[in-house]
Every structure is written in C-alpha cells, then in structure tokens.
C-alpha cells in the first residue's frame, strides 16, 4: 500500500522503497525556506505571487539544471520525509531530479497547480545522514523548476497516506457529506447588489432546492464575460493580433484565485457550475471573447476544478425573452462552444438556453406587448428582456435543479 501511494503521489524514490515501513505521523516538521541561506536558488527570490511562506520563493531560471538547494539537519541517520511546497502556473509539469548529498534518489513531477498563486506540496522520502545534508531539486527540462516556497523535513517515512483509504466516489456522493456548489457566471446568475429588486440571478435562488448539506457560493458578477470574470481587472480594451482582448498582466481575478485556493477554495467533491456567453458576444474589448478562446477558457476552468477533485458542470447561457409571434425562441451564442468543451472534457452540459426559452413557452410569455410592469413577463423579468426578478430567478433555478436530476448529475442526490 505504501509503495502504491507514493506512485500515486507522482514521485518515485527507488532508493528508499525498502524503507517504507513504520509510522511517523506524530513527528514534527522543520521548515527550510527557499529564500533563506543556507538555501541556494539559481534564479531570483521573488514575492510577486501571493500565498508563499516566509518572505518569498525561489523562481529558478528556466533552464535544465537551474536548481534550488536546501541544507537540512537531521537529528539522526535514517529515512526522512521531505515535503516540497511549490507553485506551477504553467500547463506542463516541471520535472526535476532529487539529489540528496549529490546522489540522485528520484524525480519529482511538479505538475501544474493551475496558477502561480496556487501552492501545493509534493512529498518525497530520502535516507539522510545524521547532521547536515543537501537536498537539491534539479530540473530536467528547459522550463526549469516550478516556483519553490520551502522544504519541510520530518523524521521517518510519510504517514499512512490518503490513497490507502477507500477512494471517494465520484459518481454517487453520499448525501451525508457536505458539498459546496460554486457558481461562476454573469448577471443572470449573480446575487442582487445591495438588496436591489433587480436583477436577481438564478444563483441567488438555487440553495432552496437542496438539502442543508449544500452550501451555494455565488461568485457570479454582472457584466462579465468568461474572460473578464477570470482576469478582472487585467483585461484591457486593446485587441491583440488574434482578435482577442489583451490581458495585462496575466493575473487571475481575486474571485478565481479564491476558488483555486487549496485551503478555502474548491474541495474534493464540490461542484463548479459555469455559465457565461451573454456578454462575451460583444464586438469590442474588454468583453469580447472569440469562439476558440471561449472554449479554451471553459476547459481551463473545468480542468482546474477536476485537479482539485471537484466536478465542473457547464451551462449554456440563459435565453432572453424573444418572441416570434406566440413562440419564445433562442437568441444566445456560444452554444456550440459550450457543447464542444463539454464533449472534449467529459463535462456535463445543462442546455439552459433551450430549457429557459422552453420555460418561457410553458408560461406563455409570448406574444409579449413590451410591458414589463404587468402580466406574467412583467413578473418574471426586470424592465428588460434579459434580467430576472426574484420570481423569474426562482423558476430558472428550478429548471436547473430538474436538469441535474434528469441528466443524472450526481449532485442531484442532494436535491430536496
Ligand atoms: C512567470 C511567473 C514566474 C515563473 C515563470 C516560469 O513569469 O510569474 O513566477 O517562475 O513564469 O515560467 O517559470
Ligand atoms: Ca521560473
């Protein structure tokens, strides 16, 4: 079990396989910061990506062999556990050799963490001498190391790791477990600002359909495209060569960083529901998002959720009320892109676009005389054909809850 667990963790330390016995769960860890001597960083000590410990981290030069080296002190000779805290905001892994006292004992994968501000700890084991030892992380690809925050030393092998526990079921969550449903979207999803009557997004009325074990965290914001939601306030009004809005600097919004936070953001078993596509159709920056870019950003968000053990769900945009005679018809874009991203990443897609205009038809909101102050359309919509009053938001949220059940999305186990 222990050997398997280390393989699962992405780190193979061949030299220590025979020593993987015993239990050091209670041993105290000693932290060695990468920015503090006697550690050596071939690169720069930076502090521009939040979340590090101490006063900074080692940003190794992007080159093979541009290393970070720690000098650690072991109370006695024997097996020790080394936890390396790192962030890798790139897509590709940043593999590195692990050299203990100059001898290679294994490799660390340093997979992408989703953002430079998202820090993760990888665990290695090594046999140390009593007293001073060097531990060097030496990258094997031209991208160099991830950003490295610190190394923590614990005497003995790693405590019995989580992969030996029964794996959490991804297909049928226990109704007893607490789950957070995170929402990313625009004004048709968002909470009303400052107690306003309009607009009220469906996310504001979603929790009532679930048991008390569900917490809805509504991070939708009015007026946002998928890209401005992800990168506020760094999407500029300049258009780049590929027709996409220039993002400068390429730093995520605080709302997305909050979801990516390992301690307080998306957790294993949580859900992330994503609905954009209304503001993205703008022809001008900063809101404009092209077709390929839209699909790419959706996939990026889904991958980040999955990397944390959370479950992404895509929604096509809620339809505005457009009547063709007595029939409500569709009027939104990015439907193809949402379905394509869903197929590519095996992410469930709730076609809220179709479900919403189907609801408008079942409520007979068409034909519509344009009076938003009276009648069924007036009660459903604010003083426009896009935004919902509480009554409309409640019904849209109900349609989505029903879709969870109809599409057998496992979150449906939490519906009342
Ligand atoms: C970015 C990031 C750095 C990181 C670097 C890299 O420039 O801001 O912190 O080290 O990418 O790719 O290594
Ligand atoms: Ca670097």
């Amino acid at each position: 079990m222990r050997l398997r667990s280390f393989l699962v963790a992405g780190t193979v330390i061949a030299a220590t396989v025979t020593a993987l016995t015993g239990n050091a769960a209670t041993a105290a860890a000693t932290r060695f910061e990468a920015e503090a001597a006697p550690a050596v960083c071939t690169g720069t000590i930076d502090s521009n990506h939040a979340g590090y410990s101490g006063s900074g981290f080692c940003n190794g030069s992007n080159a093979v062999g541009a290393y970070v080296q720690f000098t650690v002190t072991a109370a006695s000779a024997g097996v020790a556990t080394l936890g390396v805290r790192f962030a890798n905001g790139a897509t590709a892994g940043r593999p590195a050799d692990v050299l203990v006292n100059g001898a290679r004992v294994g490799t660390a994968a340093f997979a992408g963490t989703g953002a430079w501000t998202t820090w993760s700890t990888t665990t290695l084991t090594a046999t140390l001498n009593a007293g001073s030892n060097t531990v060097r992380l030496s990258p094997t690809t031209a991208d160099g190391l991830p950003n490295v925050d610190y190394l923590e030393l614990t005497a003995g092998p790693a405590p019995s790791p989580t992969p030996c526990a029964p794996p959490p079921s991804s297909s049928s969550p226990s109704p007893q477990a607490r789950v957070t449903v995170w929402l990313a979207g625009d004004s048709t999803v968002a909470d009303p600002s400052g107690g306003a009557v309009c607009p009220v997004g469906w996310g504001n009325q979603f929790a009532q359909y679930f048991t008390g074990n569900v917490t809805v965290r509504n991070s939708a914001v009015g007026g946002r495209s998928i890209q401005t939601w992800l990168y506020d306030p760094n999407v500029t009004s300049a258009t780049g060569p590929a027709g996409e809005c220039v993002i400068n600097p390429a730093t995520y919004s605080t709302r997305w960083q909050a979801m990516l936070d390992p301690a307080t953001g998306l957790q294993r078993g949580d859900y992330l529901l994503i609905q954009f596509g209304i503001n993205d159709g703008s022809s001008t920056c900063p809101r404009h998002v092209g077709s390929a870019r839209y699909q790419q950003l959706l996939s990026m968000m889904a991958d980040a959720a999955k990397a944390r053990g959370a479950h992404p769900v895509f929604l096509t945009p809620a339809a505005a009320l457009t009547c063709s005679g007595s029939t409500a018809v569709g009027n939104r874009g990015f439907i193809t892109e949402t379905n394509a991203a869903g197929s590519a990443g095996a992410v469930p897609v709730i076609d809220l676009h179709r479900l919403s205009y189907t609801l408008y038809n079942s409520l007979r909101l068409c034909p519509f005389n344009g009076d938003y102050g009276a009648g069924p359309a007036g009660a459903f919509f604010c003083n426009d054909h896009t935004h919902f009053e509480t009554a409309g938001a409640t019904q849209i949220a109900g349609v989505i809850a029903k879709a969870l059940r109809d599409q057998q999305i496992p979150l449906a186990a939490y519906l009342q």
Side-chain angles (χ1 to χ4, degrees):
M1 279 306 248
R2 287 181 179 277
L3 175 58
R4 180 177 153 267
S5 72
F6 280 92
L7 295 170
V8 168
T11 307
V12 184
I13 307 293
T16 60
V17 164
T18 53
L20 295 177
T21 56
N23 191 336
T26 56
T30 310
R31 184 173 297 181
F32 299 88
E33 297 284 357
E35 70 274 18
V40 179
C41 167
T42 18
T44 55
I45 303 300
D46 290 354
S47 56
N48 57 331
H49 300 302
Y52 54 83
S53 135
S55 58
F57 53 85
C58 172
N59 169 2
S61 308
N62 297 65
V64 172
Y67 60 87
V68 58
Q69 179 171 297
F70 298 90
T71 301
V72 303
T73 309
S76 56
V79 174
T81 300
L82 310 173
V84 177
R85 190 164 187 261
F86 71 99
N88 177 5
T91 318
R94 298 268 176 110
D97 284 337
V98 181
L99 307 168
V100 173
N101 298 322
R104 181 178 173 280
V105 299
T107 64
F110 293 130
T113 56
W116 291 108
T117 48
T118 301
W119 300 86
S120 178
T121 299
T122 192
T123 305
L124 325 159
T125 47
T127 304
L128 300 183
N129 301 325
S132 183
N133 296 263
T134 59
V135 179
R136 182 183 291 199
L137 304 173
S138 181
T140 53
T141 69
D143 288 340
L145 284 172
N147 291 340
V148 177
D149 188 14
Y150 60 69
L151 179 148
E152 270 185 351
L153 169 66
T154 312
S160 187
T162 43
C164 288
S169 165
S170 59
S171 56
S172 56
S174 154
Q176 282 75 46
R178 292 200 62 85
V179 157
T180 300
V181 176
W182 302 79
L183 305 178
D186 53 35
S187 59
T188 62
V189 188
D191 289 335
S193 55
V197 175
C198 265
V200 178
W202 60 260
N204 186 248
Q205 297 297 316
F206 202 35
Q208 63 187 291
Y209 294 96
F210 293 99
T211 67
N213 287 328
V214 168
T215 303
V216 175
R217 290 275 302 262
N218 192 356
S219 299
V221 186
R224 297 310 186 274
S225 68
I226 188 171
Q227 186 155 261
T228 55
W229 188 92
L230 280 166
Y231 289 98
D232 266 345
N234 302 320
V235 185
T236 69
S237 42
T239 306
E244 295 298 340
C245 307
V246 174
I247 306 174
N248 185 24
T251 305
Y252 291 137
S253 62
T254 51
R255 63 185 80 97
W256 182 230
Q257 288 189 31
M259 285 197 193
L260 297 176
D261 187 293
T264 54
L266 291 156
Q267 302 295 314
R268 177 168 296 281
D270 284 355
Y271 278 77
L272 172 60
L273 273 58
I274 309 167
Q275 184 217 294
F276 292 98
I278 295 178
N279 301 305
D280 314 55
S282 168
S283 58
T284 55
C285 290
R287 284 190 186 185
H288 167 80
V289 181
S291 177
R293 177 74 175 154
Y294 188 85
Q295 194 175 318
Q296 179 200 357
L297 291 174
L298 265 185
S299 300
M300 185 269 281
M301 292 179 77
D303 288 347
K306 288 181 193 169
R308 288 157 179 78
H311 308 293
V313 177
F314 297 151
L315 293 94
T316 57
L321 180 61
T322 302
C323 294
S324 171
S326 56
T327 306
V329 294
N331 41 40
R332 296 294 186 208
F334 298 100
I335 312 297
T336 311
E337 292 81 352
T338 307
N339 286 325
S343 304
V347 175
V349 176
I350 295 177
D351 190 2
L352 181 60
H353 180 243
R354 186 179 53 78
L355 292 172
S356 54
Y357 68 72
T358 303
L359 172 68
Y360 307 156
N361 280 321
S362 68
L363 295 172
R364 301 190 188 284
L365 301 189
C366 293
F368 177 52
N369 63 6
D371 181 0
Y372 286 103
F380 198 104
F381 288 97
C382 301
N383 197 14
D384 62 27
H385 63 168
T386 293
H387 295 106
F388 311 123
E389 294 196 20
T390 302
T394 301
Q395 296 202 58
I396 295 284
V399 157
I400 296 164
K402 182 173 182 302
L404 291 172
R405 191 167 269 144
D406 291 347
Q407 296 181 220
Q408 300 180 344
I409 295 170
L411 178 59
Y414 290 82
L415 290 169
Q416 288 196 353

